[in-house]
Amino acid sequence: MIPPLLRRVLGLLAVGALAAATAGCSPSDTPDDAAPTEEANPTRVLDEEFADPDILEVDGVYYAYASAGNRKNVQVATSTDLLEWEMLDDDALPELPSWTIPGKTWAPEVTEVADGQFVLYFTTTNFEPALQCIGVATSTDPAGPFTVAGDRMLVCPEDEGGAIDASTFATDTGLNLVWKNDGNCCDKDTWIQTAPLSADGLALAGPTTKLVKQTLDWEGLLVEAPTVVPRDDGFALLYSSNFYGDSSYNVGYATAPALEGPWEKSPEPILSSDSFGGDRYIGPGGQDLATAPDGTTYLLFHSWDAAVTYRSMHAEPVEWQGSDLQFTQE
């Protein structure tokens, strides 16, 4: 008889291998008539398995990082305008440390912490406790390879179910990390939360502040994939919610005068499978914001293909109206 801990580890390995191979299970109950046609996706900018895109600009080149796929732990593509992308051959994180369980590496975030110094925050499964947690790696090249730093995960709260989906944002006081505790793994709330980072980006440097959790029906059991944007009158927060594997996944939006709140959520998602007449996207999410050389700001995110077999990257032009983010094309 297999001991419980070993059984759990084997189960995680099996799930991770399947996820890496399929990049998510195709839900059998997704209605065929709800699937956009290939022609109905004018904003697709990378027709590859490229989920949870993170965008970084360095010296006029944009780097997009994505979750595991195409036999890589962290995928990378480059562009000069956010619309035409080229996939790079090499894995940005080719080696995982022995204290992780291989097979799942999600939601990468790369930040330039100093001139020529880059830090990658990634989600993978910690060995003990066997939870999804956030690790950190460094490189002198934005394309990698990145080398894991330290001998443990950067953020791994066992009592909160672990931590996933790291991203960063800068304020006058320095760099901050934002993430989601993985509470939906174990019947706990999912809080998007933040803490200041050390100057080198390799350690938390202050207390954690909780921002928002799942409270609305369309959010389902979770909120995740946070993007915090400082604004003149406070902060804006984009986040994904509900189940990533079908058409219920979406992008929510909230604003606050300070990180401590109060946070006010949009009553409906700003991007969902129903947006644009319901014929463009299936389960959009994993979003990031970037501004092109011509000044156009884009929301970049993934969406399932018509057959719900892989998630490609899309770019929707947006603009700020005060603290609100508005789409600029129909």
Side-chain angles (χ1 to χ4, degrees):
M1 186 170 182
I2 301 175
L5 178 58
L6 179 57
R7 185 167 60 248
R8 185 180 185 189
V9 170
L10 291 173
L12 285 167
L13 286 169
V15 170
L18 179 61
T22 64
C25 297
S26 301
S28 59
D29 58 352
T30 301
D32 291 339
D33 59 3
T37 64
E38 298 304 313
E39 293 75 19
N41 286 293
T43 64
R44 182 189 290 113
V45 294
L46 187 59
D47 193 13
E48 300 271 357
E49 168 58 35
F50 206 79
D52 308 309
D54 164 63
I55 312 299
L56 174 70
E57 185 271 325
V58 181
D59 297 330
V61 177
Y62 296 91
Y63 295 81
Y65 307 88
S67 291
N70 296 309
R71 300 182 182 274
K72 302 183 184 81
N73 290 320
V74 173
Q75 303 182 82
V76 188
T78 59
S79 174
T80 57
D81 62 3
L82 296 176
L83 299 178
E84 299 288 336
W85 292 88
E86 179 183 356
M87 289 282 288
L88 301 188
D89 293 332
D90 294 334
D91 189 338
L93 187 65
E95 295 186 14
L96 293 173
S98 60
W99 36 270
T100 66
I101 298 173
K104 296 189 295 183
T105 309
W106 310 125
E109 166 87 1
V110 175
T111 301
E112 187 172 13
V113 297
D115 188 25
Q117 299 294 320
F118 302 91
V119 176
L120 163 66
Y121 303 92
F122 61 93
T123 298
T124 194
T125 304
N126 191 49
F127 186 77
E128 188 176 354
L131 297 169
Q132 293 195 117
C133 294
I134 295 167
V136 61
T138 62
S139 178
T140 56
D141 187 332
F146 286 82
T147 301
V148 174
D151 58 2
R152 66 188 65 188
M153 293 297 200
L154 174 64
V155 185
C156 195
E158 184 173 4
D159 60 340
E160 296 182 12
I164 71 171
D165 292 357
S167 64
T168 63
F169 65 97
T171 64
D172 292 340
T173 59
L175 193 64
N176 301 268
L177 190 73
V178 59
W179 68 91
K180 162 243 183 166
N181 74 285
D182 203 26
N184 53 292
C185 79
C186 36
D187 297 323
K188 298 178 183 291
D189 286 330
T190 60
W191 280 96
I192 290 173
Q193 43 198 298
T194 185
L197 282 162
S198 58
D200 62 7
L202 301 182
L204 300 185
T208 297
T209 300
K210 291 184 175 180
L211 308 184
V212 301
K213 67 174 183 177
Q214 78 288 350
T215 57
L216 304 174
D217 288 345
W218 51 265
E219 294 172 336
L221 298 177
L222 60 91
V223 293
E224 61 186 15
T227 305
V228 172
V229 182
R231 301 291 294 161
D232 291 341
D233 50 357
F235 293 87
L237 167 66
L238 294 114
Y239 61 93
S240 299
S241 70
N242 220 307
F243 177 53
Y244 82 96
D246 64 21
S247 60
S248 67
Y249 209 50
N250 57 61
V251 178
Y253 187 77
T255 58
L259 286 175
E260 296 78 11
W263 285 89
E264 182 179 355
K265 292 180 178 179
S266 172
E268 300 292 337
I270 66 167
L271 182 63
S272 72
S273 299
D274 294 329
S275 298
F276 304 98
D279 62 357
R280 189 174 296 182
Y281 301 120
I282 298 176
Q287 72 295 318
D288 199 6
L289 283 167
T291 301
D294 66 1
T296 303
T297 298
Y298 289 95
L299 184 70
L300 293 107
F301 55 93
H302 69 241
S303 174
W304 289 101
D305 71 308
V308 197
T309 55
Y310 69 97
R311 291 168 289 175
S312 54
M313 185 168 67
H314 297 254
E316 279 281 359
V318 294
E319 64 182 10
W320 291 100
Q321 299 287 342
S323 293
D324 293 329
L325 196 64
Q326 305 288 333
F327 292 97
T328 60
Q329 69 178 21
E330 295 298 327

